[in-house]
Amino acid sequence: MDTVKLIVLGMHNILRWLILGLGILTLIKMYSGWIRNKPWASSDRKTGLFFTIALDIQLLLGFLLYFVFSDLVRTAFSDFGNAMNNPVLRFFSVEHSAIMLIAVVVGHIGSSIGKKELEDKQKFLRSAIVYTISVALIIIGIP
């Protein structure tokens, strides 16, 4: 069981860097498309889609860590009141998971904007704003 936990934790840690890279790439494409008034292309939608797929995989790995493998979370929920006074327990049992879950939801909202019937410039701008929020939340929530 410890080996599986280490593998899942390792994948979760490595995937964070891929997500940050995809998030930054997505932001560059969205802001570039908006500033340069480019036409919306399927590659623009796919960049955001890959970002959200990576977020979904990360969320699944995080759920495994949270609900199956995390001794910290078990400790926190055994005495929740005391855990909220411990910054490490509070961060991993509440703050990290809540911030990241919100970041995933916001990322999906950004992905759905590309499917809407909007002018290309509006798609780029709205997507850029929403993806910026998602990436900012991810940066805030990284341990």
Side-chain angles (χ1 to χ4, degrees):
M1 191 69 140
D2 285 339
T3 305
V4 175
K5 176 183 175 180
L6 288 174
I7 291 170
V8 172
L9 184 60
M11 290 170 57
H12 192 68
N13 286 332
I14 291 168
L15 190 55
R16 116 180 74 180
W17 300 112
L18 177 65
I19 288 171
L20 280 174
L22 285 169
I24 290 167
L25 176 65
T26 302
L27 292 177
I28 290 168
K29 283 188 73 79
M30 296 302 119
Y31 282 107
S32 173
W34 172 60
I35 291 168
R36 294 182 179 166
N37 206 19
K38 292 165 63 174
W40 184 267
S42 73
S43 65
D44 298 314
R45 186 187 64 78
K46 287 178 184 174
T47 304
L49 182 64
F50 292 143
F51 175 62
T52 56
I53 288 170
L55 286 175
D56 290 343
I57 294 168
Q58 185 75 323
L59 181 65
L60 289 173
L61 293 171
F63 280 163
L64 268 175
L65 290 169
Y66 191 84
F67 292 111
V68 178
F69 298 118
S70 180
D71 297 328
L72 278 174
V73 172
R74 266 187 232 103
T75 300
F77 284 109
S78 68
D79 186 3
F80 198 70
N82 255 353
M84 293 304 100
N85 293 323
N86 180 322
V88 173
L89 289 177
R90 184 181 61 240
F91 178 78
F92 283 104
S93 63
V94 177
E95 295 168 1
H96 175 71
S97 52
I99 291 168
M100 294 305 187
L101 184 59
I102 294 167
V104 171
V105 170
V106 172
H108 275 276
I109 293 169
S111 182
S112 71
I113 289 172
K115 299 174 190 172
K116 295 187 179 198
E117 297 294 324
L118 298 169
E119 292 179 13
D120 292 343
K121 191 165 180 101
Q122 282 184 327
K123 277 186 190 182
F124 280 116
L125 178 59
R126 289 181 184 182
S127 295
I129 291 169
V130 175
Y131 284 132
T132 299
I133 294 168
S134 180
V135 170
L137 287 169
I138 291 166
I139 291 169
I140 290 167
I142 289 176

